[in-house]
């Protein structure tokens, strides 16, 4: 473990390989991406972790990218119990969901995978506009955009992961039986 790493990152660096893989699967469904990021531990800074995550996204094969995309629910319909997707898609109003789902189906038919966009901080109207534009792209252009968007999502989720690991370290511990 790197002693100068922030607490949450130090905790991530210290977990065993199985736990690291599980934590990273919550960030990105690609096993290859998770293995590449886990293999780079220990990281001294969150910036180093994010750079490794970016490099891992760039190195994904078409099959690895498909595996990563399969872990993302359609925009406008976060998977039940998927707090990360629900938070990321919080800018979508109920009145926009039907059109998003309809366009998502058309996008999937054209491109063969779910429409992926970093939805954090975007309104439903912005997501609809992006979907309308991107549905027209050729496969190569869209694959490049998808890879970029996946990288943005992974960065946000990794940052939240290290913050959450810090919070669990700082949370007050309940006294064990016999302690006061």
């Amino acid at each position: 473990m790197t002693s100068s790493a922030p607490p949450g990152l130090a905790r991530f660096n210290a977990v065993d390989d199985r736990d690291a893989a599980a934590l990273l699967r919550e960030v990105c469904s690609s096993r290859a991406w998770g293995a590449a990021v886990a293999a780079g531990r220990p990281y001294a800074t969150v910036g180093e972790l994010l750079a490794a995550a970016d490099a891992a996204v760039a190195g994904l094969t078409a099959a690895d990218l498909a595996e990563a995309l399969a872990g993302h629910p359609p925009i406008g319909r976060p998977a039940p119990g998927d707090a990360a997707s629900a938070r990321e898609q919080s800018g979508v109003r109920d009145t926009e969901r039907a059109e998003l789902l309809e366009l998502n189906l058309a996008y999937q038919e054209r491109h063969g995978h779910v429409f992926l966009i970093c939805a954090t901080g975007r309104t439903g109207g912005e997501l609809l506009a992006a979907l309308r534009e991107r549905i027209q792209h050729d496969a190569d252009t869209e694959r490049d955009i998808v890879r970029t968007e996946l990288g943005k999502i992974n960065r946000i989720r990794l940052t939240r992961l290290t913050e959450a690991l810090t919070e669990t370290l700082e949370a007050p511990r309940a006294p064990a039986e016999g302690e006061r």
Side-chain angles (χ1 to χ4, degrees):
M1 176 165 44
T2 305
S3 61
S4 63
L9 181 58
R11 187 166 190 192
F12 172 71
N13 286 336
V15 299
D16 65 35
D17 290 343
R18 194 170 110 191
D19 289 342
L23 288 169
L24 291 169
R25 290 279 287 180
E26 293 296 316
V27 172
C28 180
S29 297
S30 167
R31 290 179 299 240
W33 178 87
V37 173
R41 294 179 306 150
Y43 297 102
T45 66
V46 174
E48 284 182 15
L49 172 63
L50 298 178
D54 292 343
V57 167
L60 293 180
T61 66
D64 298 331
L65 190 57
E67 183 180 34
L69 291 171
H72 288 271
I75 291 292
R77 190 183 56 180
D82 184 349
S85 290
R87 178 179 50 250
E88 291 161 359
Q89 296 185 32
S90 64
V92 177
R93 295 184 314 234
D94 289 337
T95 57
E96 297 161 326
R97 290 188 195 284
E99 186 177 2
L100 278 168
L101 291 173
E102 181 181 322
L103 286 171
N104 230 316
L105 289 173
Y107 177 94
Q108 282 182 268
E109 194 170 302
R110 178 171 169 91
H111 293 289
H113 56 80
V114 69
F115 171 71
L116 187 73
I117 189 167
C118 182
T120 300
R122 293 187 181 198
T123 66
E126 291 170 328
L127 298 173
L128 279 167
L131 183 46
R132 286 185 197 111
E133 176 187 333
R134 287 180 46 196
I135 200 169
Q136 305 303 319
H137 290 162
D138 63 80
D140 291 337
T141 300
E142 193 55 24
R143 192 173 24 260
D144 290 344
I145 293 170
V146 164
R147 198 176 288 273
T148 298
E149 294 298 314
L150 178 63
K152 291 176 188 176
I153 293 165
N154 290 352
R155 284 175 147 266
I156 290 168
R157 290 181 175 185
L158 277 172
T159 300
R160 283 196 178 119
L161 170 66
T162 60
E163 290 168 355
L165 290 172
T166 298
E167 291 167 7
T168 61
L169 287 171
E170 295 172 354
R173 183 180 68 82
E177 191 173 323
E179 288 184 348
R180 288 197 183 247

